[in-house]
Amino acid sequence: EVMAKSLGTAATAGVGVDQELIASVPSSNPTFVARNFTEAEISYCRSQPHPAASFAARWVGKEAVFKSLGVSSKGAAAAMKDIEILADESGVPQVALHGDAKAAADSKGISKVLVSLSHTDSTAIAFAQASV
Amino acid sequence: EVMAKSLGTAATAGVGVDQELIASVPSSNPTFVARNFTEAEISYCRSQPHPAASFAARWVGKEAVFKSLGVSSKGAAAAMKDIEILADESGVPQVALHGDAKAAADSKGISKVLVSLSHTDSTAIAFAQASV
Amino acid sequence: EVMAKSLGTAATAGVGVDQELIASVPSSNPTFVARNFTEAEISYCRSQPHPAASFAARWVGKEAVFKSLGVSSKGAAAAMKDIEILADESGVPQVALHGDAKAAADSKGISKVLVSLSHTDSTAIAFAQASV
C-alpha cells in the first residue's frame, strides 16, 4: 500500500518582501545591534567590506522572514534576534529560527524558510518564502 | 487504490515582482482610485497613517499578482480592480481574484496567490507567487 | 500499483532577489554586453523603448536566477551568458540555462526556474525561484 502522507508536498505557506534605506537602519547603535542580531550575525556583518550594508540586508531579511510566517506583528517587541540569517559555505544565506519565531513556524507546520538578500549603495532588499 | 490526483502538489505557476515610486502612483486622482481599487481597499488605504504609501503598495501588489498569473498584459485596460488585496486579522495581505483575473487564474489551474508588500518613504515594492 | 515517484512534488530549492541602479549596469559597453548577453537577448533589449532599462532588468534577472541556484559565486568569471532570459509570446520572461549554469542546476535536481523583472526610472529589480 502506498502511504499518501509519505509523499512530501511542499506548499508555500507565505512569502515576504522588505526593503529599507541602508541609512535608516541604525547599525552603529550598539543597543539596536545587540537586541536584534546574534553574535554570529554580528561577527559576520563586521567582517564584511560594508558592515552597514550587511547589517541592513540582514535586517530586511529578518523582516521578510517574519512576514513570510504570516503571524501578527508585535511591533517593536518582535524578537528579530530569534530569526538568524547566516551564510553557508557557498555564501547562500540560510535561515535558523529560535524562540518565539520557531514556535510560530512550528504552530503553522512551516518546516523551511528560504531567503535572499540584495543591496545597492543606498537600499537593502530581501525576499523570503516559507514552506510547510 | 490510491488516487494520485487526491494528493495536492503545490507547484508554483508563476512569480511576479513590481516596484514604483510612491509619487508616481496617482492616488489623489479619484478616477484612478475608483477604477483600480475596490471599496474595501479604498477604505483600508484611507484609514492608514500614509494613505499614498498604502495605495502605492497595493497598486504594485496588483501588478505583481498580475505578472504571477503569466497572462498577456492588456495595458491600460487591465482590470486591476479584479485583483483585490486586503489585510486579514493578522495584517497579512490576502489576494482575492474577481472577473477577468479570476477567469485567467482558473484557466491555468491557479488556486492560490500569495503576495507581500513593502515600502520605504519613496518606493513601494511587492512580490507575488501563484500556485496551482 | 502506484508509482510514488511519478507524483511530481515541486519543492522550492532556492530563491533569489537582486537590484541595481540602471545607471550602474554598463549596457553601453559592447564588451560587457557581448560577454553577458546572448544574441537573442541583445536583439530583444535593443528593440525595447528603453534599452538600458531592459538590459539592466535582464542583468539583475540573471543575478537573481544565479542566487536561486544556491551555488558558490565565481565572481567576475560567472558565465551570466549561460543564464538566458527571453520573453514568451505573452511577454512573460522565461529562463533557459546553458553550460555551467545548466550543469549546476542539474546537479541539484533543479528542473525549473521562474523569474520576474521590474524597473522604475532609476532601479531594476528581479526575483527568481528555482524548483526541483
Side-chain angles (χ1 to χ4, degrees):
Chain A
E1 277 181 36
V2 174
M3 302 301 287
K5 67 184 165 55
S6 73
L7 298 168
T9 59
T12 302
V15 294
V17 67
D18 198 62
Q19 63 176 354
E20 293 279 357
L21 291 172
I22 293 170
S24 75
V25 178
S27 58
S28 58
N29 177 331
T31 305
F32 172 81
V33 169
R35 182 188 295 140
N36 291 297
F37 296 87
T38 67
E39 286 305 310
E41 289 177 318
I42 295 169
S43 295
Y44 176 84
C45 290
R46 290 194 174 145
S47 76
Q48 294 300 294
H50 302 290
S54 296
F55 275 115
R58 239 148 211 82
W59 177 250
V60 296
K62 290 167 185 264
E63 292 278 5
V65 169
F66 184 84
K67 287 182 178 182
S68 78
L69 300 179
V71 295
S72 290
S73 173
K74 302 181 204 168
M80 286 303 175
K81 202 173 191 167
D82 284 347
I83 299 171
E84 185 177 37
I85 303 175
L86 290 170
D88 69 12
E89 69 278 6
S90 297
V92 179
Q94 304 291 333
V95 178
L97 301 178
H98 312 284
D100 287 350
K102 180 158 193 339
D106 287 349
S107 76
K108 297 199 154 201
I110 291 169
S111 62
K112 188 169 191 179
V113 185
L114 297 168
V115 74
S116 184
L117 314 175
S118 177
H119 62 80
T120 61
D121 283 352
S122 64
T123 310
I125 188 167
F127 171 75
Q129 178 183 314
S131 300
V132 295
Chain B
E1 276 178 38
V2 174
M3 301 302 287
K5 67 183 166 52
S6 72
L7 297 169
T9 59
T12 302
V15 294
V17 66
D18 199 62
Q19 62 176 353
E20 294 278 358
L21 292 172
I22 294 170
S24 76
V25 177
S27 59
S28 59
N29 177 330
T31 305
F32 171 81
V33 169
R35 182 188 295 141
N36 291 297
F37 297 86
T38 66
E39 286 304 312
E41 290 178 316
I42 295 168
S43 296
Y44 176 83
C45 290
R46 290 195 174 146
S47 77
Q48 294 299 294
H50 302 289
S54 296
F55 276 114
R58 239 149 211 82
W59 176 248
V60 297
K62 290 167 184 263
E63 293 277 4
V65 169
F66 184 84
K67 288 182 177 182
S68 78
L69 299 179
V71 295
S72 290
S73 173
K74 303 181 202 167
M80 286 304 175
K81 203 173 190 166
D82 284 347
I83 298 171
E84 185 177 38
I85 303 176
L86 290 170
D88 69 11
E89 69 278 6
S90 296
V92 179
Q94 304 291 333
V95 179
L97 301 178
H98 312 284
D100 287 349
K102 181 158 193 340
D106 288 349
S107 75
K108 299 199 152 202
I110 291 168
S111 61
K112 187 168 190 179
V113 185
L114 297 168
V115 73
S116 184
L117 314 175
S118 177
H119 62 81
T120 61
D121 283 353
S122 63
T123 310
I125 188 167
F127 170 76
Q129 178 183 313
S131 300
V132 295
Chain C
E1 277 181 37
V2 173
M3 302 301 287
K5 66 182 167 53
S6 73
L7 297 170
T9 60
T12 302
V15 295
V17 66
D18 198 63
Q19 64 177 353
E20 294 278 358
L21 292 172
I22 293 170
S24 75
V25 178
S27 59
S28 59
N29 176 331
T31 305
F32 172 80
V33 169
R35 182 188 295 141
N36 292 297
F37 296 86
T38 67
E39 286 304 312
E41 289 177 318
I42 295 168
S43 295
Y44 176 83
C45 290
R46 290 195 174 145
S47 76
Q48 294 301 293
H50 302 290
S54 295
F55 276 115
R58 239 148 212 83
W59 177 248
V60 297
K62 290 167 185 263
E63 292 277 5
V65 169
F66 184 84
K67 287 181 177 181
S68 78
L69 299 179
V71 295
S72 290
S73 173
K74 303 180 202 168
M80 286 304 175
K81 202 173 191 167
D82 284 346
I83 298 170
E84 186 177 38
I85 303 175
L86 291 170
D88 69 10
E89 69 277 8
S90 296
V92 179
Q94 304 291 334
V95 178
L97 301 178
H98 312 284
D100 287 350
K102 180 158 192 339
D106 287 350
S107 75
K108 299 199 153 203
I110 291 169
S111 62
K112 187 168 191 180
V113 185
L114 297 168
V115 73
S116 184
L117 314 175
S118 178
H119 63 80
T120 61
D121 283 352
S122 63
T123 310
I125 189 167
F127 171 76
Q129 179 184 313
S131 300
V132 296

